[in-house]
C-alpha cells in the first residue's frame, strides 16, 4: 500500500501562474486535509473534506480552491499564484475527525 | 475555540539526558490530544495520542505524555535522548471540531 502520495514533489511557479496539487490515498479514509507549513508557523489548515463530494474552508483558504470528486483523491488548486504562497504543502487523511492523521511526503512550492 | 501553545521553539539536550517538550491546550470540551514528529524533508507521523481513559500515554520510540486536565497540559517526555530523536515535534488538539489545531512546533536538538 502506498498510503498517502502527493504529486508533484517540487514545483517552481511564476507569479500569476496556476497549478494543481494532487493528493491520492489508498487507505479508504473519509477525511482529507490540505495544510501549508511555513517556518515558525506550524501547520495551518487550508481546506478539508469529510467525504466524497464535500469540501470546507480551513484557517487560511484564500487564494486556494479544492475538489474531491473521488473518495481517494483531493486536489488543491492555485488559480493565480503569489509569492506569499511559497510554502511546503502537506496532504493528510483520517478515518474520522478524531482519529490519527496520516500525512503525505509534501510538495515544496516556490513562487517567484 | 481550540488552541495549542508549545513552549520553546527550540530545545537542546545532550544524548542520554531527559527530554521534556511542553504543550498547553485550550478547549471548551474534553479534548483529544496528539503528538506528531517530523524528520527533515518528511511528513508528520504520529508519536502518541490521548483520547479517554488512562492519562499517561505511551508512544513509539520510548516517548510518553501525561494529560493533566487541571493544568491543561500534555507534555511530552523521554527518559534518555538519542541522536535519532533530533526532529521537530508538534502538539495538536481536537476539541470537538472536525479538524485538528497544531502548535507551532518545537525543534529538538540532541548533542553528543
Amino acid at each position: 500500500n502506498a498510503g498517502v502520495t502527493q504529486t508533484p514533489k517540487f514545483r517552481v511557479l511564476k507569479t500569476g501562474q496556476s497549478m494543481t496539487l494532487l493528493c491520492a490515498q489508498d487507505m479508504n479514509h473519509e477525511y482529507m486535509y490540505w495544510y501549508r507549513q511555513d517556518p515558525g508557523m506550524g501547520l495551518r489548515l487550508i481546506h478539508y473534506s469529510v467525504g466524497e463530494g464535500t469540501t470546507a474552508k480551513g484557517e487560511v483558504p484564500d487564494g486556494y480552491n479544492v475538489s474531491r470528486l473521488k473518495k481517494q483523491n483531493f486536489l488543491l488548486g492555485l488559480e493565480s499564484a503569489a509569492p506569499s504562497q511559497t510554502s511546503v504543502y502537506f496532504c493528510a487523511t483520517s478515518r474520522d475527525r478524531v482519529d490519527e492523521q496520516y500525512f503525505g511526503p509534501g510538495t515544496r512550492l516556490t513562487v517567484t | 475555540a481550540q488552541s495549542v501553545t508549545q513552549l520553546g521553539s527550540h530545545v537542546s539536550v545532550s544524548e542520554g539526558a531527559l527530554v521534556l517538550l511542553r504543550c498547553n491546550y485550550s478547549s471548551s470540551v474534553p479534548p483529544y490530544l496528539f503528538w506528531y514528529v517530523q524528520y527533515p524533508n518528511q511528513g508528520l507521523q504520529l508519536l502518541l495520542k490521548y483520547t479517554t481513559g488512562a492519562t499517561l500515554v505511551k508512544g513509539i520510540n520510548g516517548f510518553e505524555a501525561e494529560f493533566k486536565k487541571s493544568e491543561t497540559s500534555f507534555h511530552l517526555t523521554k527518559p534518555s535522548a538519542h541522536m535519532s530523536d533530533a526532529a521537530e515535534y508538534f502538539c495538536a488538539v481536537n476539541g470537538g471540531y472536525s479538524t485538528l489545531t497544531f502548535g507551532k512546533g518545537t525543534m529538538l536538538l540532541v548533542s553528543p
Side-chain angles (χ1 to χ4, degrees), chain B residues 50-109:
Chain B
Y50 169 79
T51 54
T52 57
T55 57
L56 183 61
V57 181
K58 295 187 185 298
I60 62 172
N61 301 337
F63 284 93
E64 61 183 36
E66 186 171 9
F67 169 61
K68 292 187 176 180
K69 183 179 178 180
S70 61
E71 298 177 8
T72 60
S73 69
F74 192 56
H75 301 329
L76 182 71
T77 61
K78 181 174 181 178
S80 177
H82 192 273
M83 296 294 289
S84 61
D85 295 326
E88 190 159 21
Y89 293 79
F90 293 91
C91 182
V93 63
N94 183 304
Y97 292 85
S98 293
T99 61
L100 285 182
T101 296
F102 285 87
K104 294 189 186 310
T106 298
M107 185 70 71
L108 178 65
L109 308 170

Side-chain angles (χ1 to χ4, degrees), chain A residues 43-91:
Chain A
L43 274 77
R44 293 182 292 170
L45 184 65
I46 305 171
H47 287 281
Y48 66 101
S49 169
V50 301
E52 182 179 315
T54 74
T55 63
K57 293 180 180 180
E59 179 186 355
V60 289
D62 293 343
Y64 305 95
N65 56 75
V66 287
S67 64
R68 182 104 180 263
L69 299 180
K70 294 183 179 180
K71 184 177 183 178
Q72 63 266 37
N73 295 337
F74 195 29
L75 280 66
L76 178 71
L78 286 74
E79 291 187 348
S80 179
S84 60
Q85 294 177 304
T86 293
S87 188
V88 181
Y89 291 85
F90 287 100
C91 175

Side-chain angles (χ1 to χ4, degrees), chain A residues 94-105:
Chain A
S94 66
R95 278 193 297 253
D96 56 44
R97 68 174 184 83
V98 296
D99 195 33
E100 170 186 359
Q101 291 189 14
Y102 294 80
F103 283 79

Side-chain angles (χ1 to χ4, degrees), chain A residues 11-28:
Chain A
R11 185 73 187 269
V12 178
L13 287 180
K14 296 188 177 181
T15 297
Q17 288 185 319
S18 63
M19 76 164 294
T20 300
L21 283 67
L22 170 64
C23 177
Q25 54 120 345
D26 61 4
M27 308 178 80
N28 201 34

